[in-house]
Amino acid sequence: MYLSRFEINTARRGAKNMLVSPQRLHAAVLAAFPGRSAGTSDEGRVLWRLDESAAGTKLYVVSPRRPDLTHLVEQCGWPTTQTWDARDYTPLLDRLAAGQRWAFRLTANPVVNRRRNADAGRSQRYGHVTVNQQNDWLRDRATRNGFKIAEGTGGEPDLAVHRRRTWKFAREGRQVTLATAVFEGVLEVADPAALRHALTHGIGPAKGYGCGLLTLAPVTTAERPGDG
């Protein structure tokens, strides 16, 4: 597995066109993996996340194969000064152990499945809309994904949700509405194998649209997701 980081030059026209649509970003990420092996495998699947901050806009990609992001450098990067950073993810995955504490970041699509009414045959996904609902959504999934949220000051969970956003974009002739939230905090490893699976296969729905990628960093360097 590989963890790759690409810095986007937001001043370029190609970047502006791409950043308004998770569908366009999804296509751009998959273009880095020609052939049929870009999807899910036993080892993991392609996951990506866009991090936007005062320090810049960065694209993170986790993948079973090393990506070729040349096309992104040409469209929305700095072709004459920098390309991208791709690191072997295996050392980080292999050293996970129960009891470790890591700073984490996750962009997710917190949803609940329910029927519109009692007569409806199939359930539908509805986005959680409040911070409490979104925090509960992640805490409910922590155990099955091999971790628990660590306690912070005053015994409260060390968990914060921010950059809550609703995306609307076109896909195959219809409009897609996608609610996302960024979760940050400190987790404690409970089941290393389950956490490795979460790191390489993602958490929650909408993984093709930049959701589900959980990254870790030492607690003292929380602003460097995945550097481990």
Side-chain angles (χ1 to χ4, degrees), residues 7 52-58:
E7 188 165 354
E52 299 174 278
S53 70
T57 299
K58 298 178 177 65

Side-chain angles (χ1 to χ4, degrees), residues 37-48:
S37 57
T40 304
S41 69
D42 291 339
E43 189 177 4
R45 61 168 292 160
V46 175
L47 301 166
W48 63 272

Side-chain angles (χ1 to χ4, degrees), residues 19-31:
L19 293 175
V20 297
S21 170
Q23 173 68 12
R24 295 175 189 171
L25 275 166
H26 169 69
V29 170
L30 289 189

Side-chain angles (χ1 to χ4, degrees), residues 30 36 138 189 217 224 227:
L30 289 189
R36 297 177 59 187
L138 181 59
V189 181
R224 300 168 58 201
D227 284 359

Side-chain angles (χ1 to χ4, degrees), residues 166-204:
T166 299
W167 297 84
K168 294 184 179 182
F169 55 95
R171 178 180 181 272
E172 297 179 352
R174 63 184 181 88
Q175 180 172 277
V176 176
T177 300
L178 180 68
T180 63
V182 178
F183 298 90
E184 290 185 335
V186 176
L187 62 78
E188 182 175 321
V189 181
D191 181 340
L195 181 55
R196 288 187 198 101
H197 189 273
L199 291 167
T200 55
H201 290 79
I203 296 176

Side-chain angles (χ1 to χ4, degrees), residues 128-148:
H128 286 305
V129 295
T130 71
V131 170
N132 286 339
Q133 288 174 336
Q134 291 169 344
N135 281 335
D136 288 344
W137 177 90
L138 181 59
R139 286 195 292 263
D140 288 345
R141 281 153 184 77
T143 300
R144 76 184 77 164
N145 287 291
F147 66 92
K148 62 180 180 180

Side-chain angles (χ1 to χ4, degrees), residues 100-145:
Q100 291 176 341
R101 290 163 63 95
W102 294 89
F104 73 88
R105 183 176 297 155
L106 167 72
T107 295
N109 172 220
V111 297
V112 60
N113 293 321
R114 63 170 179 258
R115 290 185 174 87
R116 183 176 297 178
N117 55 62
D119 298 327
R122 297 179 60 184
S123 62
Q124 292 184 310
R125 285 178 177 172
Y126 295 88
H128 286 305
V129 295
T130 71
V131 170
N132 286 339
Q133 288 174 336
Q134 291 169 344
N135 281 335
D136 288 344
W137 177 90
L138 181 59
R139 286 195 292 263
D140 288 345
R141 281 153 184 77
T143 300
R144 76 184 77 164
N145 287 291

Side-chain angles (χ1 to χ4, degrees), residues 9 38 48 50 62 68 97 101 159 164-165 176 196 198 208 223 228:
N9 183 349
W48 63 272
L50 192 68
V62 163
D68 182 354
R101 290 163 63 95
L159 174 63
R164 302 162 66 233
R165 180 172 182 177
V176 176
R196 288 187 198 101
E223 290 305 312

